[in-house]
Amino acid sequence: MSVDRRRGIATVCLSGTLEDKLAAAAAAGFDGVELFENDLLASPWSPERVRQECADLGLSIDLYQPFRDFEAVPPDVLALNLRRAELKFDVVERLGADTVLVCSSVSPDAVDDDDLAAEQLHTLAEHAGRRGLRVAYEALAWGRFVNTYDRAWRIVRSADHPALGVCLDSFHVLSREVDPVAIRTIPGEKVFFLQLADAPRLRMDVLQWSRHHRLFPGQGAFDLTSFVDHVLATGYRGPLSLEVFNDVFRQSDPRAAAVDAMRSLLLLQEPPDAAPVLGGHAYTEIDVDETAAARVGAALAGLGFAAAGRHRSRPVELWRQGDARIVLHHRDPAHGGHAAVTAVAVASPDPTTSAARATSFLAPSLGATAVAAPDGTSVVFCRDDQDWLADFTTQPDAGEHADAGVLGTDHVGLTEPFDRFEQAGLFYRAVLGLHLDDETEFAAPFGLVRRHSVVDRGHRVRIALDSTLVRRGSWGPDVREPQHVAFTTSDAVASARVMRGLGAPLLDIPDNYYDDLDARFAPDPGLLAALREFSVLYDRDEHGEFLHFCTEVLGDRVYFEVVQRIGGYSGYGAVNAPVLMAAHRRRRRAAHDR
Amino acid sequence: MSVDRRRGIATVCLSGTLEDKLAAAAAAGFDGVELFENDLLASPWSPERVRQECADLGLSIDLYQPFRDFEAVPPDVLALNLRRAELKFDVVERLGADTVLVCSSVSPDAVDDDDLAAEQLHTLAEHAGRRGLRVAYEALAWGRFVNTYDRAWRIVRSADHPALGVCLDSFHVLSREVDPVAIRTIPGEKVFFLQLADAPRLRMDVLQWSRHHRLFPGQGAFDLTSFVDHVLATGYRGPLSLEVFNDVFRQSDPRAAAVDAMRSLLLLQEPPDAAPVLGGHAYTEIDVDETAAARVGAALAGLGFAAAGRHRSRPVELWRQGDARIVLHHRDPAHGGHAAVTAVAVASPDPTTSAARATSFLAPSLGATAVAAPDGTSVVFCRDDQDWLADFTTQPDAGEHADAGVLGTDHVGLTEPFDRFEQAGLFYRAVLGLHLDDETEFAAPFGLVRRHSVVDRGHRVRIALDSTLVRRGSWGPDVREPQHVAFTTSDAVASARVMRGLGAPLLDIPDNYYDDLDARFAPDPGLLAALREFSVLYDRDEHGEFLHFCTEVLGDRVYFEVVQRIGGYSGYGAVNAPVLMAAHRRRRRAAHDR
């Protein structure tokens, strides 16, 4: 979808007081807001002051919301509801806004009578129209009688008042089993407002799903591209406005959440196939202090990597094996053992354009060919190896290392705080043009871990994002959650044998694990023996097999993994992750006890 | 229910490695464990070593679990499943355990044929019985065909093998709409195992509900007392064993979680009416440093409290008005403005017995009449006022203060970290014999807030526990979440008028709030004007009305509230909490800007 139009956000999406929310929305480049009533009620600003503050920030007030439980009621209740509406219309006028959202009723006072609903909404529209205001009627997915967009539209059509139209909310439409295509039959001038929200597919009470688990477009499972196409096909000319209720976003820094929100709209509006074609992982950069440098270097040597070059001007060394490259950046002379993945570099045919596209998605620029991710990682675009390898002197011993069968980089594994997980996922998908490959959740020894894996169309660049609902951390109470770089091999057992011979600090896996593998898969006894001997883990799905093993954590938070994919296995061995984490813990404790 | 028998816990309830879990279970006084298979797989201990470690800790291994997807399959799958079972039976023998949990199948290989299921479970029991092992068959609530306990029992009865019985799990039974009373028809010797878990009533996918939201008994909505009665009526003689999957407990310190688990079983087993009869809030103690002492003292004076006494030996002053008493403890000579509620004192006819009962619930003792809550608050039992008031000298001016209509203490509001919320709730309910009064969730300006309010049978002691899924905090990014003490009045408007006259630092509430009150409730214009004039908040439910107002936060985290309950209103004005929080934020900012 390529469409240039006004972008809005409901104040309820953001955390803080009204003042915080408006400032954040304006800073992220939104054109307007939906003013959520509770934000106004808690504010000391009069409606006139809110109007002025919004104008000063360049924000229009596109909608006042919500007005609840109005229609299809007995005459005495109608009188009270009209009184309530008039008092709210006073506020809307003072705000200088012109459209009020009216949600379909959930009231026990309401009756199941569309004709009565239409008649009373006509009356309400008459009251609104006299003041130059408009009523946008929305079917809540849990409305008592009116809970689908088509029924709301039939009532609006039948009410037949110029000040009455519908509000279409993607959550309320797509959470129901009603085909959204009939949206196209609504005249555009009767679509008064469009609210956008994504969500994961959850099998739960729709009200709870809506109030707690909405996401920004691109973070969930809904087909918002088609949905917006349907709405725009009507001739709708209003803003694309986000309305997302999410427990985590509600307590996030509103400035970051507003940027995330804007990024989601920009991505939604990008033409198809605009993302860069990626050539694979060019290199992964790891910052090390002096102690970690020795440990990481020794581990790389043990994995069969060669120290292949030194940077001409910076304290940076290059290690390589096959197409896998690790850049160690000696940034810190300390001896605390700090090591962290600081840059993910990918090959792109046009790095400058790729980086410019990334900054258009509000990624902070780090020069002509690099941007910063929200988690602090640099994302670097490289044309080809020669480009950046020219900065390195070749080591004399580069040809002499022991090859352990590493062919390239399979994926980089990053860990994100739980309250920035969705933000990180959207960032990497937007900026690198990746799509969700695998999404899983598993019980680790120290807590539940969520993992999103994202991959490019050519399956050359993979990033695995882990997160956990932590106090203690998925990896234990005593450690920062690690990052990792996974290398590919065509024979994991052979690689493990060579690497153990070279002294790589590989993890040992318990016998109990292999006894269970035998029970679950009844593998060839020779393979099982080899896996057990070299502590190689195994998984199988309907598409293929996966063999993998890991080093211990080097420094405070980086380890290496070696993986072999057989057939179309597209996962990351999540089933084995708890066993790996426990093995890491044991190794850490043993090192601590030494 | 009063029953004395062995208590167990599934290792899956607790966080950490197997070593951590066993140590925590033993330390909390459990007699046995259910060994969760994944905990064994990740452990370097051989089954024989696990057996020995458990024996050394005084723990039996009561169950090995789970074995999945066995029954009602074609012959070729049966052969593989029997191979798998034999390998697991090897492990169970090595562990020295005798019972294996077999869950009803969710496999696509299974067919809907109870006779076939019975026949194949008979075969499995034959294999188990040869080794002296037993199979406990459990209906998962989401089993493909077998998903109710009565169907599982019919299959077991029809299979008719001495090594085959049922496992009854309270979650799987009570999450379904099947009456649990028919449990009583199962012969006790065929009930091989009993697993207990509570849960909130959620309208969601039952598998997700089970895997993420189970709670310890007494923390949820299930009637576990009746459930256990049904099971014990069969003649079941095995342990009461907890199996709770909970995302928060999974990452908590296992030692604290195990204590919490044991407390839940002790409470479940306590005879009815064993809880103390409470006489009301005796006093609330607030620790203050020098700066906070001045501010809190000035605020109390502004609320019409009198400095009524000084402790004879400790730096403690007593403030009172009506039956409301605040004890200020000058514990810290610093000037940072620290103030915190440190003790909740309640009147009890027999303080020593009440405190002894509390310590029997594993509450750490703080002397003969006080215990420590998990959040660090002291819970003190007092016989009557004279008992402890004797320690105070009377102030000469105690009779001369301005009475502002405060009659007593309505409730104490404490805030808990989200990952200790259930623990705190269970603690206060167990130790004070309170029950859940009100449970709500609301969107505050800086995040979602959960609130549990607990009250005694006589409605004299109320504690409100707040929690939030935070990074930023429900009260904003810049503040520790406050605690509060709420006093009762019979005329909130009159009290507010007097207190404002006395200079109490009361919050101002925005006009927008009162405009909305007008729209929502159409109150008497005179009342509305008075509420607006004195910044008194208002709520109404089907039982009565609630008027309330607050001071600013005094020191870093304490404020006072004054409430008027009219009729049977039993809530705490949660609907107004976001407005109050925003008002607190403004006051803090204004103070900061001064």
Side-chain angles (χ1 to χ4, degrees):
Chain A
M1 156 191 7
S2 177
V3 66
D4 186 27
R5 65 169 65 220
R6 301 181 61 259
R7 299 182 190 99
I9 185 167
T11 56
V12 72
C13 301
L14 301 171
S15 182
T17 61
L18 184 57
E19 189 178 345
D20 302 329
K21 294 170 185 227
L22 295 177
F30 282 96
D31 304 299
V33 294
E34 305 174 32
L35 186 61
F36 185 61
E37 179 164 281
N38 287 17
D39 288 322
L40 179 70
L41 300 190
S43 172
W45 287 346
S46 68
E48 292 81 1
R49 171 86 184 272
V50 173
R51 174 186 194 158
Q52 187 57 51
E53 296 279 349
C54 285
D56 291 350
L57 289 165
L59 293 170
S60 54
I61 301 176
D62 297 327
L63 189 73
Y64 185 79
Q65 61 118 324
F67 188 79
R68 298 187 190 278
D69 295 334
F70 175 80
E71 78 282 14
V73 290
D76 56 327
V77 180
L78 179 65
L80 282 169
N81 288 353
L82 280 171
R83 173 185 183 277
R84 186 158 58 92
E86 286 289 358
L87 287 170
K88 293 301 176 187
F89 290 161
D90 290 346
V91 173
V92 177
E93 281 193 319
R94 293 169 66 194
L95 287 165
D98 66 2
T99 307
V100 180
L101 177 73
V102 174
C103 302
S104 63
S105 183
V106 300
S107 168
D109 292 330
V111 295
D112 187 8
D113 182 340
D114 286 1
D115 290 339
L116 184 63
E119 181 190 317
Q120 296 184 347
L121 285 168
H122 183 100
T123 304
L124 182 67
E126 192 61 33
H127 283 246
R130 275 182 218 140
R131 301 170 181 241
L133 303 181
R134 308 193 308 166
V135 169
Y137 182 60
E138 173 185 69
L140 295 178
W142 55 90
R144 185 149 173 237
F145 302 112
V146 179
N147 47 38
T148 58
Y149 77 91
D150 49 334
R151 186 161 173 187
W153 162 235
R154 285 196 303 272
I155 291 170
V156 165
R157 187 176 55 193
S158 146
D160 191 25
H161 193 287
L164 181 68
V166 293
C167 171
L168 296 171
D169 177 307
S170 61
F171 181 88
H172 292 300
V173 174
L174 300 176
S175 63
R176 309 276 316 188
E177 298 298 316
V178 180
D179 189 338
V181 75
I183 287 172
R184 291 172 177 261
T185 65
I186 307 174
E189 72 274 12
K190 295 305 270 185
V191 181
F192 279 10
F193 210 75
L194 169 60
Q195 294 178 312
L196 296 174
D198 204 343
R201 275 278 164 211
L202 298 175
R203 285 170 53 197
M204 66 185 297
D205 178 55
V206 67
L207 186 150
Q208 297 299 323
W209 181 19
S210 172
R211 293 231 173 124
H212 300 287
H213 301 286
R214 289 187 180 206
L215 294 168
F216 293 127
Q219 293 178 327
F222 288 165
D223 181 359
L224 288 181
T225 304
S226 299
F227 179 80
V228 174
D229 278 347
H230 294 326
V231 177
L232 297 185
T234 67
Y236 171 73
R237 298 298 307 155
L240 303 185
S241 189
L242 297 165
E243 191 197 28
V244 171
F245 310 92
N246 181 293
D247 292 350
V248 172
F249 303 165
R250 265 190 205 289
Q251 57 83 59
S252 306
D253 186 322
R255 293 163 297 191
V259 165
D260 201 27
M262 178 55 83
R263 182 174 294 136
S264 78
L265 275 185
L266 293 169
L267 187 63
L268 183 66
Q269 293 178 267
E270 191 182 53
D273 301 322
V277 175
L278 302 180
H281 288 272
Y283 63 89
T284 308
E285 182 168 318
I286 300 174
D287 271 16
V288 283
D289 70 13
E290 285 313 297
T291 298
R295 297 196 60 199
V296 175
L300 286 169
L303 295 173
F305 280 65
R310 289 200 165 272
H311 197 275
R312 296 183 191 278
S313 57
R314 294 188 300 152
V316 168
E317 51 181 311
L318 170 67
W319 290 77
R320 67 187 300 172
Q321 182 176 186
D323 289 330
R325 297 178 201 87
I326 295 290
V327 166
L328 293 189
H329 194 153
H330 297 245
R331 209 182 281 272
D332 186 348
H335 290 82
H338 177 65
V341 172
T342 49
V344 174
V346 297
S348 154
D350 185 350
T352 314
T353 301
S354 294
R357 178 177 165 282
T359 55
S360 81
F361 282 119
L362 308 181
S365 173
L366 298 173
T369 59
V371 296
D375 58 13
T377 311
S378 303
V379 174
V380 182
F381 297 94
C382 311
R383 193 167 9 249
D384 58 40
D385 294 355
Q386 303 323 313
D387 240 33
W388 62 276
L389 283 177
D391 292 338
F392 287 83
T393 60
T394 308
Q395 296 285 95
D397 63 346
E400 300 168 26
H401 70 284
D403 191 305
V406 165
L407 302 172
T409 300
D410 184 81
H411 66 273
V412 177
L414 301 174
T415 50
E416 310 287 341
F418 83 91
D419 57 349
R420 299 196 192 145
F421 189 57
E422 300 297 347
Q423 182 185 30
L426 182 65
F427 176 88
Y428 286 106
R429 271 174 280 159
V431 158
L432 292 172
L434 310 181
H435 64 267
L436 190 67
D437 182 27
D438 191 49
E439 187 172 9
T440 188
E441 207 174 74
F442 55 88
F446 299 96
L448 199 79
V449 176
R450 293 179 65 194
R451 178 176 290 173
H452 281 194
S453 305
V454 287
V455 67
D456 71 312
R457 278 168 291 171
H459 291 259
R460 295 190 190 93
V461 172
R462 295 172 194 261
I463 297 178
L465 301 172
D466 277 7
S467 182
T468 173
L469 184 75
V470 256
R471 299 254 159 168
R472 305 182 77 225
S474 60
W475 289 77
D478 54 347
V479 70
R480 196 163 167 209
E481 293 174 29
Q483 307 165 314
H484 71 275
V485 185
F487 306 116
T488 51
T489 174
S490 61
D491 187 340
V493 170
S495 287
R497 185 195 311 263
V498 172
M499 290 170 181
R500 287 195 175 261
L502 291 170
L506 301 180
L507 293 180
D508 296 322
I509 300 302
D511 266 341
N512 297 334
Y513 170 81
Y514 294 98
D515 293 345
D516 179 62
L517 216 52
D518 189 14
R520 278 197 293 143
F521 292 125
D524 170 79
L527 173 64
L528 182 65
L531 296 173
R532 192 189 295 261
E533 179 177 357
F534 297 108
S535 280
V536 176
L537 297 124
Y538 179 85
D539 191 27
R540 189 194 288 170
D541 68 12
E542 64 273 35
H543 307 296
E545 295 168 282
F546 189 65
L547 285 73
H548 60 137
F549 57 91
C550 292
T551 68
E552 64 184 13
V553 176
L554 308 159
D556 58 352
R557 65 176 313 207
V558 173
Y559 70 90
F560 297 116
E561 183 175 15
V562 178
V563 311
Q564 177 187 2
R565 294 180 184 276
I566 301 175
Y569 184 96
S570 66
Y572 297 75
V575 68
N576 297 322
V579 174
L580 277 174
M581 288 178 184
H584 270 120
R585 177 93 190 290
R586 277 195 301 284
R587 184 70 79 115
R588 214 160 57 234
R589 285 206 161 168
H592 187 262
D593 293 344
R594 272 199 302 268
Chain B
M1 159 189 5
S2 176
V3 66
D4 186 25
R5 64 170 65 221
R6 301 180 60 258
R7 298 182 192 99
I9 185 167
T11 56
V12 72
C13 300
L14 302 171
S15 182
T17 61
L18 184 57
E19 191 179 342
D20 302 330
K21 293 170 186 226
L22 295 178
F30 282 97
D31 304 299
V33 294
E34 304 174 33
L35 186 60
F36 185 61
E37 178 164 281
N38 287 18
D39 288 321
L40 179 70
L41 301 190
S43 172
W45 287 347
S46 68
E48 291 82 1
R49 172 84 185 271
V50 173
R51 175 186 194 157
Q52 186 57 52
E53 296 278 351
C54 285
D56 292 349
L57 289 165
L59 294 169
S60 54
I61 301 177
D62 299 327
L63 188 73
Y64 185 80
Q65 60 118 323
F67 187 79
R68 297 186 191 279
D69 295 336
F70 176 80
E71 77 283 13
V73 291
D76 56 327
V77 180
L78 178 65
L80 282 169
N81 288 354
L82 280 171
R83 173 185 184 276
R84 187 158 58 92
E86 286 289 358
L87 288 170
K88 293 301 176 189
F89 290 161
D90 291 347
V91 173
V92 177
E93 282 193 319
R94 293 170 66 195
L95 286 165
D98 66 3
T99 308
V100 181
L101 177 74
V102 174
C103 301
S104 64
S105 183
V106 299
S107 167
D109 292 330
V111 295
D112 188 7
D113 182 340
D114 286 0
D115 291 339
L116 185 62
E119 180 189 317
Q120 295 184 347
L121 285 168
H122 183 100
T123 304
L124 181 67
E126 191 61 34
H127 284 245
R130 276 183 218 140
R131 302 173 179 239
L133 303 181
R134 308 192 309 166
V135 169
Y137 182 60
E138 172 185 72
L140 296 177
W142 56 91
R144 185 148 173 239
F145 302 112
V146 179
N147 46 39
T148 58
Y149 77 90
D150 50 334
R151 187 162 173 186
W153 162 235
R154 285 197 303 272
I155 291 171
V156 164
R157 187 175 53 192
S158 146
D160 191 25
H161 193 286
L164 182 68
V166 294
C167 171
L168 296 172
D169 176 308
S170 62
F171 181 89
H172 292 301
V173 174
L174 300 176
S175 63
R176 311 274 317 189
E177 299 297 315
V178 180
D179 189 338
V181 75
I183 287 174
R184 291 172 176 262
T185 65
I186 307 175
E189 72 274 12
K190 295 304 271 186
V191 181
F192 280 9
F193 210 76
L194 169 61
Q195 295 179 312
L196 296 175
D198 204 342
R201 275 278 163 212
L202 298 175
R203 285 170 54 197
M204 65 185 299
D205 177 56
V206 67
L207 187 150
Q208 297 298 323
W209 183 19
S210 171
R211 293 231 173 126
H212 300 287
H213 301 286
R214 288 188 180 205
L215 293 168
F216 293 127
Q219 292 177 329
F222 288 165
D223 181 359
L224 288 181
T225 304
S226 299
F227 179 80
V228 174
D229 277 346
H230 295 325
V231 178
L232 297 185
T234 67
Y236 171 72
R237 297 297 308 155
L240 303 185
S241 189
L242 297 165
E243 191 196 30
V244 170
F245 310 92
N246 181 294
D247 292 350
V248 172
F249 303 165
R250 265 191 204 290
Q251 57 83 59
S252 304
D253 186 320
R255 292 163 298 191
V259 165
D260 202 27
M262 178 56 82
R263 182 174 294 137
S264 77
L265 275 185
L266 293 170
L267 187 63
L268 184 66
Q269 294 179 267
E270 191 181 53
D273 300 322
V277 175
L278 301 180
H281 288 271
Y283 64 88
T284 309
E285 182 169 320
I286 300 174
D287 271 17
V288 283
D289 70 12
E290 285 313 297
T291 298
R295 295 195 60 200
V296 174
L300 286 169
L303 295 174
F305 279 65
R310 288 200 167 273
H311 196 275
R312 295 183 191 278
S313 57
R314 294 187 300 152
V316 169
E317 51 181 310
L318 170 68
W319 290 76
R320 68 186 299 172
Q321 181 177 186
D323 289 328
R325 297 178 201 89
I326 295 290
V327 165
L328 293 189
H329 194 153
H330 297 246
R331 208 184 282 273
D332 185 350
H335 290 82
H338 176 64
V341 171
T342 49
V344 174
V346 296
S348 154
D350 184 351
T352 313
T353 301
S354 294
R357 178 178 165 280
T359 55
S360 79
F361 281 120
L362 308 182
S365 173
L366 297 173
T369 59
V371 295
D375 59 13
T377 309
S378 304
V379 175
V380 181
F381 298 94
C382 312
R383 192 167 12 245
D384 57 40
D385 293 355
Q386 304 323 314
D387 240 30
W388 63 276
L389 282 177
D391 293 338
F392 286 83
T393 61
T394 307
Q395 297 284 95
D397 63 345
E400 299 170 25
H401 70 284
D403 191 306
V406 166
L407 303 172
T409 300
D410 184 80
H411 66 273
V412 177
L414 301 174
T415 50
E416 310 289 339
F418 82 92
D419 57 349
R420 299 197 191 145
F421 189 58
E422 300 298 347
Q423 183 186 29
L426 181 64
F427 176 88
Y428 286 107
R429 270 175 280 160
V431 159
L432 292 173
L434 310 181
H435 65 266
L436 190 67
D437 182 29
D438 191 48
E439 187 171 10
T440 187
E441 206 174 73
F442 56 88
F446 299 95
L448 199 78
V449 176
R450 292 178 66 194
R451 177 176 293 174
H452 282 194
S453 305
V454 288
V455 67
D456 71 310
R457 278 168 292 169
H459 292 258
R460 296 192 189 92
V461 173
R462 296 172 194 261
I463 297 179
L465 301 172
D466 277 8
S467 182
T468 171
L469 184 76
V470 256
R471 298 254 160 171
R472 303 182 78 225
S474 60
W475 289 78
D478 54 347
V479 70
R480 194 162 167 210
E481 293 175 28
Q483 307 165 315
H484 70 274
V485 185
F487 307 116
T488 51
T489 174
S490 60
D491 187 338
V493 169
S495 288
R497 185 194 312 261
V498 172
M499 290 170 181
R500 287 194 175 262
L502 292 169
L506 300 179
L507 293 180
D508 296 322
I509 301 302
D511 266 342
N512 296 334
Y513 170 81
Y514 295 98
D515 292 346
D516 179 63
L517 217 52
D518 189 14
R520 279 196 293 142
F521 292 124
D524 169 80
L527 173 63
L528 182 65
L531 297 174
R532 192 189 296 259
E533 180 177 356
F534 298 107
S535 281
V536 176
L537 297 122
Y538 179 85
D539 191 27
R540 188 194 289 170
D541 67 12
E542 64 273 35
H543 307 296
E545 294 168 282
F546 189 66
L547 284 73
H548 60 136
F549 57 91
C550 292
T551 69
E552 65 183 10
V553 177
L554 308 158
D556 57 354
R557 65 177 312 208
V558 173
Y559 69 90
F560 298 115
E561 183 174 16
V562 178
V563 312
Q564 177 188 1
R565 293 180 184 276
I566 301 174
Y569 184 96
S570 65
Y572 296 76
V575 67
N576 297 322
V579 174
L580 278 175
M581 288 178 184
H584 270 119
R585 177 94 190 288
R586 275 196 302 285
R587 184 70 78 116
R588 213 159 61 233
R589 284 204 162 168
H592 187 266
D593 293 347
R594 272 200 300 269

